[in-house]
Amino acid sequence: MAQDFPTVEWTEASDGGAGQLSALQLLRDYGIVQITDIGTDPTATERLATLVGPIHETTVYGYIYDVKAEPIAKLGAKTGMPQAPHIDDAFYYSPPGIDVFHCLVNTEEGGMSTYVDGFAIAASLAAEQPQAYELLTTLPISQIRRHPGEIDLRNRGPLISLDEFGRPQGIRYFDRALAPLDVDADVMDTFYDAVREYNRRMIDPAFIVEIRVMPGNGMLIDNHRVMHGRTAFDPSFGRHIRLRHVPRDEFHGRLRELSRTLDPEHHDEYLPQGSRS
């Protein structure tokens, strides 16, 4: 996939018609799409987000979050350390739907973006380790994020949520926010093994796509499906990525409305809401 990444050029994606529909369909089908040639003007960040919907402001990230290394960092994202693949804000009752990333400055060494399809991991577990899959789709894990004096967030639910037909519809996993498991003692060890197995596959190169996002390009990511991370980099290079979130409902709603006239055969599709367990 790294050699044939789902990609749409900005002028096409922003045409309000067939080009925008193509970008949204790629996001629907792959869980991720790259939008190229947006430019490095910071004001373009908001324009990129509005392809899928209005920006959702949060206490942790604000309206638009500038991801760049700082001498004193509250979050690991604002260091040069590697970040393992993760779902953003898994500790919210309703995690962000679509992550919108806009690259202003990148490094020439390190700082590679990593992406993992959580649904692919779920499928591999169902086929190869059905007991682990059963535990991860039925028992809850707790994930917590606290900023003292500011906010205390926590959620409890399955790592893999299923739709009404028993198909994966959302992933909720952020290893650095994982709290101690709270399940019956007789399944505790087996459940920890299942979580470890998900994590092992999450960092397995067989599941990871690694690319360098060039300045002026952006990524739209389904945060209920595709996990994102990065490799380490030298903070002195000034790597700068802008991040904002858009509700998943807005993305699906715009996709349906564009499809109504441009792809009527598929405009009435029901798309699961995501991992809100």
Side-chain angles (χ1 to χ4, degrees):
M1 187 172 172
Q3 284 72 47
D4 189 22
F5 204 89
T7 299
V8 179
E9 198 269 334
W10 168 249
T11 56
E12 181 182 355
S14 60
D15 68 1
Q20 184 177 4
L21 177 61
S22 176
L24 298 187
Q25 287 174 331
L26 288 170
L27 179 56
R28 176 197 65 191
D29 296 341
Y30 289 92
I32 189 169
V33 60
Q34 178 175 218
I35 309 296
T36 60
D37 302 321
I38 306 161
T40 56
D41 184 338
T43 63
T45 303
E46 193 167 356
R47 293 197 295 273
L48 173 62
T50 57
L51 287 180
V52 286
I55 294 172
H56 176 62
E57 187 170 2
T58 67
T59 299
V60 175
Y61 294 107
Y63 184 68
I64 293 179
Y65 189 71
D66 288 286
V67 184
K68 52 185 177 180
E70 297 178 347
I72 300 176
K74 182 165 62 174
L75 297 178
K78 290 203 170 190
T79 71
M81 298 186 299
Q83 302 290 298
H86 59 279
I87 295 296
D88 267 356
D89 294 358
F91 33 79
Y92 274 84
Y93 297 147
S94 299
I98 305 300
D99 286 341
V100 182
F101 289 93
H102 179 201
C103 180
L104 302 187
V105 180
N106 208 344
T107 61
E108 295 183 1
E109 296 182 6
M112 297 288 286
S113 296
T114 55
Y115 305 107
V116 175
D117 187 346
F119 286 3
I121 297 178
S124 71
L125 286 170
E128 300 166 14
Q129 295 207 17
Q131 182 184 20
Y133 181 78
E134 175 72 15
L135 292 172
L136 295 176
T137 56
T138 56
L139 295 183
I141 61 173
S142 295
Q143 297 176 90
I144 296 173
R145 164 66 60 78
R146 177 171 180 254
H147 294 259
E150 189 176 23
I151 197 166
D152 186 338
L153 299 160
R154 55 190 66 201
N155 182 75
R156 190 168 185 266
L159 193 155
I160 304 169
S161 65
L162 305 178
D163 67 12
E164 60 187 299
F165 304 107
R167 301 171 302 198
Q169 70 170 3
I171 304 296
R172 188 191 286 265
Y173 185 59
F174 186 10
D175 61 341
R176 298 179 295 288
L178 188 66
L181 299 185
D182 181 16
V183 295
D184 292 340
D186 59 345
V187 297
M188 181 71 74
D189 289 345
T190 307
F191 192 24
Y192 265 115
D193 287 342
V195 175
R196 290 190 191 97
E197 183 58 27
Y198 184 93
N199 195 94
R200 186 190 70 77
R201 293 172 189 237
M202 182 189 78
I203 60 175
D204 185 336
F207 287 95
I208 293 176
V209 174
E210 182 176 290
I211 69 170
R212 185 176 304 284
V213 180
M214 301 305 295
N217 292 352
M219 289 286 182
L220 305 177
I221 304 172
D222 187 333
N223 187 53
H224 294 241
R225 173 181 174 180
V226 172
M227 315 179 81
H228 64 275
R230 68 160 191 245
T231 63
F233 65 93
D234 184 342
S236 66
F237 281 105
R239 187 178 190 268
H240 186 184
I241 310 290
R242 306 195 87 202
L243 164 66
R244 74 287 329 145
H245 300 119
V246 172
R248 202 168 186 243
D249 307 71
E250 296 283 344
F251 154 51
H252 287 160
R254 293 194 178 192
L255 172 61
R256 290 190 191 95
E257 194 59 25
L258 279 169
S259 298
R260 187 176 295 276
T261 55
L262 298 173
D263 186 24
E265 182 180 352
H266 299 107
H267 91 273
D268 201 28
E269 289 178 329
Y270 169 72
L271 302 170
Q273 292 299 307
S275 54
R276 290 197 281 184
S277 302

